[in-house]
Each structure stands twice: as C-alpha cells, then as structure tokens.
Amino acid sequence: MNEQEFIAKVTEALDEGAGRLTSPTVEALRAGRRRALAGRRQRDAGGAHAWVAVLGWAHHHSRMFWLLLLLAVLLGMVGYQMLNDQDASDLDIQLLTDDLPPQAYLHGDMGSWLNAREQ
Amino acid sequence: MAQRTRAIILFGLLALAQPALAAEPYVFRFWSELTAEQQKALAPVAEDWNNFPPRQQTRLLKVARSYGKLSATQQQRMQARLRAWVQMTPEQRLLARRNYQKLIELPAQKQVQVKQRWAHIQSEGAPEPEPPETP
C-alpha cells in the first residue's frame, strides 16, 4: 500500500466514523466549538479593552496622571544620569591608572593630536 | 477592570522610572564611616572627603571598589593622581574623560604616538597644566 492509498483509507475510516456519531455527540461537539471560538474572541478583545481602560482612567484622573507621568520621567532622567555616572567611574579607574596622567588630557594640543587621524 | 488598569499604569510608570531604581543611590558618608579598604584606597583625599557632595563620593567609592584588583603599579599611579583629579573642576574631568575615551578608541599605533608627543613635551620642560584651586 503506497502513501496515497493509506491516506485514502484513513479518510474513508474517519468519514464512516463521523457518520456513525449520534445526534447528542454532534451537538456536544458543536457547543464545544462555539465556546472555544467565543473564548478566543474575548481574549482578542481583552488587550484593546485594557488600553481603552487606561486611556479612560487617564482622562478621568488627568491631573494625577500627568503628575505621575512627570514624576516617572524625572525619576527616569535622574536614574539615567546615575547609571551614566557608574559607567563613568569605570572610565575614571582606567584614566587614573593609564600611562598618561589625567592632566595630559587637558593639554591644549591634546584635542588636535587625537583628532589628527591621518599623520 | 479598575485593578487591571491601575496595574498597567503602575507598570508603565515603573518602566519609565526604572533607571532610578537600578542605579546606586547617592548617599553622603563621613570619612569615618568608610571601611578600612575604602580609606586605604582613598587616603590621598581623606582631608577633603567630608566636603565632597554625595555624587562625587559615590563615584570615588566605585573607583575605590576596584582598587584591590589593580596591580601594585596601578595602585601607586591611582593614589598619586587622585588628589589632582578631585581638584579638577567637573568640566575639566569631563574633558579629560572625553579625550581619554577618544585616545583608547584610536588604533594602538596612534595611541603610542600621542603618548610619545606628551612625553616629548614633558622632556622639553613645558609646564604641565596646573589643576585649579579647590573652590
């Protein structure tokens, strides 16, 4: 038996099986399918509802919302500066322990030496 | 639904403020509050320590944290340079960092050339720029 014949036999068996299902079983399967589709539609709409609710809250508590947003942005800016500082500390360690003293990097000619790529 | 809304708003605001939560806080510490290791690493600035703002203290403490991992030569260099470093203005430190960053991004050969130029200037006796007086 080749593949095509095997598929044809399985399909035939399934069709026969489906034909023998009793009416209550068919109805139960149909109800189950309806419930599954309804659940899927609800989940899809859930994300959109959440955003509508957030916008609704922001609209009704606009002063509080803007205050909280401002506070969060300020905290974010301060935090960003603090994280930058921590990165700069790593650079400070390298700078303080490298061959040249830190004052070398303030020398008037240093900028031109560093920018003169082609020499 | 109201609870879910509040949770989403809270989550959004926390996400915006996240860098502040992740960063190490600036805290003022007296010299006497530092550990023996921190005091050893920062000994050159002991006299001025209590006058430093929390932000500068926090940065120096981070530098001190790496002190134990440095070689003996690097430790010596760091201590010899620390005092002049803290006496620079914030703008001078920023310029030094920027120029150092540019230097380390250059190819190795170019880095050597810059260092040789500096060494040449030093050997000619040109005065090194003085750090400013502490305000």
Side-chain angles (χ1 to χ4, degrees), chain B residues 3 6 16 21 23 27 34 38 43 49 58 60 65 73-75 79 81 85-86 92 94 98 102 125 132:
Chain B
Q3 243 180 343
R6 276 198 290 272
L16 275 175
L21 304 174
V27 180
L34 302 192
Q38 289 170 332
W49 179 265
T58 305
L60 286 169
R65 206 179 297 164
T73 312
Q74 287 177 319
Q75 287 183 349
Q79 291 214 316
R81 294 166 178 179
W85 178 247
V86 298
Q92 285 177 317
L94 188 65
R98 278 186 186 156
K102 280 185 193 171

Side-chain angles (χ1 to χ4, degrees), chain B residues 22-132:
Chain B
E24 199 172 319
Y26 300 143
V27 180
F28 180 85
R29 289 185 179 87
F30 286 102
W31 179 257
S32 55
E33 292 177 69
L34 302 192
T35 64
E37 287 79 19
Q38 289 170 332
Q39 288 191 352
K40 185 182 167 193
L42 301 171
V45 296
E47 278 180 30
D48 303 318
W49 179 265
N50 292 342
N51 298 323
F52 292 154
R55 186 178 173 193
Q56 194 175 6
Q57 287 189 349
T58 305
R59 288 173 81 141
L60 286 169
L61 284 173
K62 178 123 197 244
V63 170
R65 206 179 297 164
S66 304
Y67 181 77
K69 297 174 202 157
L70 301 175
S71 68
T73 312
Q74 287 177 319
Q75 287 183 349
Q76 242 174 344
R77 274 183 184 169
M78 195 192 103
Q79 291 214 316
R81 294 166 178 179
L82 205 53
R83 196 165 172 75
W85 178 247
V86 298
Q87 285 178 341
M88 288 181 183
T89 63
E91 291 76 23
Q92 285 177 317
R93 281 195 291 269
L94 188 65
L95 177 65
R97 281 188 202 107
R98 278 186 186 156
N99 281 340
Y100 179 70
Q101 184 76 51
K102 280 185 193 171
L103 176 78
I104 59 177
E105 283 168 5
L106 289 177
Q109 199 189 343
K110 296 277 181 195
Q111 290 187 29
V112 172
Q113 280 177 7
V114 171
K115 289 176 183 177
Q116 281 173 343
R117 283 182 162 191
W118 171 255
H120 180 68
I121 284 184
Q122 292 307 291
S123 66
E124 281 181 344
E128 216 172 290
E130 287 290 322

Side-chain angles (χ1 to χ4, degrees), chain A residues 53 57 75-76 79 81-82 85-86 88 92-94 96-100 103 105-106 113-114 117 119, chain B residues 5 9 16 20 23-24 26 55 59 62 66 77 81 84 92 97 99-100 103 110 115 117-118 121:
Chain A
W57 186 90
L75 269 174
Q81 186 193 39
M82 288 162 93
D85 270 5
Q86 285 171 30
D92 289 358
I93 295 160
Q94 290 180 49
L96 287 168
T97 56
D98 205 351
D99 295 337
L100 299 186
Q103 292 90 334
Y105 300 100
L106 303 182
W113 297 344
L114 294 170
R117 304 268 168 168
Q119 286 173 40
Chain B
T5 307
I9 288 170
L16 275 175
E24 199 172 319
Y26 300 143
R55 186 178 173 193
R59 288 173 81 141
K62 178 123 197 244
S66 304
R77 274 183 184 169
R81 294 166 178 179
Q92 285 177 317
R97 281 188 202 107
N99 281 340
Y100 179 70
L103 176 78
K110 296 277 181 195
K115 289 176 183 177
R117 283 182 162 191
W118 171 255
I121 284 184

Side-chain angles (χ1 to χ4, degrees), chain A residues 19-54:
Chain A
R20 283 200 296 271
L21 288 176
T22 59
S23 178
T25 310
V26 170
E27 194 47 49
L29 286 170
R30 190 172 290 145
R33 181 174 181 276
R34 269 201 301 269
R35 276 199 302 276
L37 287 174
R40 170 67 192 267
R41 271 196 293 272
Q42 207 170 358
R43 275 199 303 280
D44 287 349
H49 284 162
W51 284 113
V52 169
V54 168

